[in-house]
Amino acid sequence: MAKDIEVAEHGETVRDYQDPPPAPLIDAEELGQWSFYRALIAEFIATLLFLYVTVLTVIGYKSQTDPDKGLDACGGVGILGIAWAFGGMIFVLVYCTAGISGGHINPAVTFGLFLARKVSLIRAVLYMVAQCLGAICGCGLVKAFQKSYYNRYGGGANELQTGYNKGTGLGAEIIGTFVLVYTVFSATDPKRNARDSHVPVLAPLPIGFAVFMVHLATIPITGTGINPARSFGAAVIFNQSKAWDDHWLFWVGPFIGAAIAAFYHQVILRAAAIKALGSFRSNA
């Protein structure tokens, strides 16, 4: 367990903190705890609500700007409104579930936190399963309520847009997910939490804004995945060939981006390897 000391300037109070111990790779004891299953339920419901609201927003925008109906292409909420829907829902849902499950709502976030030893392998795998099931159910509700609109306007499925190659799409997903996961690490950093007591309360806000900003940049390229569960749930329910053609982009890209973010924050910014080496030498 690494312990750092923050020395403030101008003779202010000295604060210290301790990093939480790394999560065990395999923690079978979790399976016997109600809090673990409560966290799984929270991830399932949060992802269900996330997909329900956001996919409805996408379909609503397309129905309000359908050129076949002679509607104004500048009508509806626009890309800005879609980005706000995704970012706003993440802000709300992370705020609601952070104290129960950590508020991941995204297999890429879970993967990044697993690589940083914040969660065990068992928790990471079952979180991803719960998130994917929640995404499928969320999209299923949208289709059940608005089947004709759902099928006509693509079901909110992520697709590589015309004019962009696979390399561009993969790069967009990697960089977009890096921004998100790096923000998650920074917003939940125990060092900042110890120094600034208001940080834990505000953590959902920068995470939601990161999702909002990434959507503004990448909606024209891939429709913005950065969340494999979001892409998977929409593809399963829509189930058309175009939704599956480049589906691998929305798993490989986010996982690579999450891994880079975990390495950058933990190894470079937090110097985890150097701290571990120093701790080893002091105990030798």
Side-chain angles (χ1 to χ4, degrees), residues 58-73:
V58 172
I59 292 174
Y61 164 66
K62 290 184 176 180
S63 69
Q64 291 170 332
T65 57
D66 189 346
D68 293 337
K69 296 181 179 179
L71 297 175
D72 184 1

Side-chain angles (χ1 to χ4, degrees), residues 45-198:
I45 295 297
T47 315
L48 183 154
L49 294 174
F50 176 59
L51 267 293
Y52 176 74
V53 171
T54 55
V55 170
L56 268 181
T57 302
V58 172
I59 292 174
Y61 164 66
K62 290 184 176 180
S63 69
Q64 291 170 332
T65 57
D66 189 346
D68 293 337
K69 296 181 179 179
L71 297 175
D72 184 1
C74 296
V77 297
I79 289 179
L80 183 63
I82 293 173
W84 270 121
F86 278 88
M89 280 303 293
I90 288 296
F91 167 66
V92 170
L93 294 170
V94 170
Y95 180 83
C96 292
T97 61
I100 302 171
S101 66
H104 297 193
I105 322 172
N106 184 336
V109 171
T110 301
F111 181 65
L113 293 174
F114 165 69
L115 293 180
R117 299 293 300 278
K118 304 292 186 183
V119 296
S120 69
L121 178 61
I122 292 175
R123 183 175 291 264
V125 171
L126 292 183
Y127 267 26
M128 292 180 193
V129 171
Q131 291 155 0
C132 289
L133 290 176
I136 292 171
C137 292
C139 291
L141 284 178
V142 177
K143 185 173 183 179
F145 294 153
Q146 299 189 9
K147 186 173 182 179
S148 60
Y149 283 99
Y150 187 91
N151 292 329
R152 185 184 308 164
Y153 297 115
N158 286 120
E159 300 170 358
L160 185 63
Q161 301 302 306
T162 303
Y164 295 98
N165 59 39
K166 291 179 173 59
T168 302
L170 181 62
E173 289 296 309
I174 291 173
I175 296 172
T177 311
F178 173 86
V179 172
L180 170 60
V181 178
Y182 174 42
T183 304
V184 170
F185 275 112
S186 298
T188 59
D189 191 329
K191 184 175 183 178
R192 299 187 64 193
N193 294 349
R195 185 177 62 224
D196 303 313
S197 60
H198 64 277

Side-chain angles (χ1 to χ4, degrees), residues 263-284:
F263 176 83
Y264 176 63
H265 186 270
Q266 295 296 106
V267 177
I268 297 178
L269 297 186
R270 293 298 307 278
I274 296 174
K275 289 179 183 179
L277 180 59
S279 177
F280 173 78
R281 287 179 174 175
S282 64
N283 294 329

Side-chain angles (χ1 to χ4, degrees), residues 194-209:
R195 185 177 62 224
D196 303 313
S197 60
H198 64 277
V199 168
V201 179
L202 297 177
L205 185 59
I207 295 171
F209 261 107

Side-chain angles (χ1 to χ4, degrees), residues 2-53:
K3 181 175 181 179
D4 283 4
I5 298 177
E6 280 289 309
V7 182
E9 296 180 356
H10 309 301
E12 295 177 4
T13 305
V14 176
R15 298 185 178 94
D16 63 354
Y17 77 99
Q18 288 187 333
D19 282 324
L25 181 61
I26 304 293
D27 187 3
E29 292 182 1
E30 289 183 315
L31 297 175
Q33 299 172 352
W34 162 242
S35 61
F36 176 67
Y37 297 100
R38 182 179 62 184
L40 291 178
I41 294 171
E43 287 292 311
F44 171 82
I45 295 297
T47 315
L48 183 154
L49 294 174
F50 176 59
L51 267 293
Y52 176 74
V53 171

